[in-house]
Amino acid sequence: MNSSRAIPWLPALAVLGSVTSLCIGTSFAKKLFPLVGAEGTSALRVGFSALVLLIFWRPWRWPLSRRDAGYVVRYGLTLGVMNLLFYLALRTIPFGIAVAIEFSGPLAVAMWSSRRPVDFVWLASAVVGLVMLLPLGHRSALDPVGVMFALAAAVCWALYILFGKQAGHLHAGHSVSLGLVAASLVVVPFGVAHAGVRLLDPGILAAGLGVAIVSSAIPMSLEMMALKRLPSETFGIMVSLEPAVASLLAMLLLGEHLTPSQWVAIGFIVLASMGSTATARRARPEAAELAG
């Protein structure tokens, strides 16, 4: 039926919207680093996101079993640690490079959970694109501490995908809002310890609220909707759009122009994303027929 064929494109659009919103929010978040540091910025982002989604979704309306609570807590704690580590990485290495390094997490999930040969074609295309985006010929070495923070964030991103899938049967607003509450328990204490009363400045609070909505509240809700409808390997490959979107937005917002090889890399990543979506669409009707 036409409706069943259209289903995979709905979560695909949700992932695209999530990635775009996240990159825009992160670009503006970096401007707060000189004021409250990476820790303070992360605390504002996660803390306000939790408050916004609690008010919007009112998760107390839905029952939550002890088992599901465990899923949500693991999902949220991983999200908080991932956010903090990534912002710490952004202090010393460029945004695009940090995204590329962090993306090794979902790529590992895609490789580990893949079951069809065609998935490896799209995975290989994504890997080629990411390798081309890395500034391997850069004269100055990347800060090793920043790289380690990005690699640790990659591990958390892989766990976030797996834990998010476990909680995928819950309503997206339910799991995301409660997950961000758990994440704030990790991130906010670090931010308060680092920035202190500077976090109470009205201008900083307003900026933090905007960053939270654009870079956390909107993307997290869209991602949970996508996780409920896409297999983890397809989701992992599709978010390969993030390095490409980050590069495009860096050019538009920050004046960072891409080289020809980077444009080619974007093409490889888009190919991987579109290909994985197309093959997932064909696979679902076949699975339904086998189940019947």
Side-chain angles (χ1 to χ4, degrees), residues 49-127:
S49 296
L51 288 176
V52 168
L53 290 184
L54 280 175
I55 295 173
F56 183 80
W57 289 111
R58 293 173 291 167
W60 51 85
R61 297 177 298 163
W62 295 291
L64 187 68
S65 68
R66 180 174 298 182
R67 182 181 182 182
D68 289 341
Y71 291 153
V72 171
V73 168
R74 286 195 293 270
Y75 160 77
L77 293 179
T78 304
L79 171 64
V81 175
M82 178 181 70
N83 185 84
L84 180 61
L85 290 171
F86 184 70
Y87 272 37
L88 290 173
L90 290 180
R91 295 181 307 177
T92 55
I93 63 177
F95 180 30
I97 296 176
V99 172
I101 295 173
E102 188 190 30
F103 196 73
S104 60
L107 281 177
V109 173
M111 177 64 75
W112 180 262
S113 59
S114 179
R115 294 295 181 268
R116 294 173 298 159
V118 69
D119 291 328
F120 290 92
V121 175
W122 310 128
L123 180 61
S125 180
V127 170

Side-chain angles (χ1 to χ4, degrees), residues 5 16 22 30 49 83 97 143 146 153 172 210 214 223 228 265 267 283 291:
R5 292 180 179 179
L16 179 59
L22 174 62
K30 287 194 67 174
S49 296
N83 185 84
I97 296 176
D143 174 58
V214 177
E223 284 185 4
K228 293 179 66 175

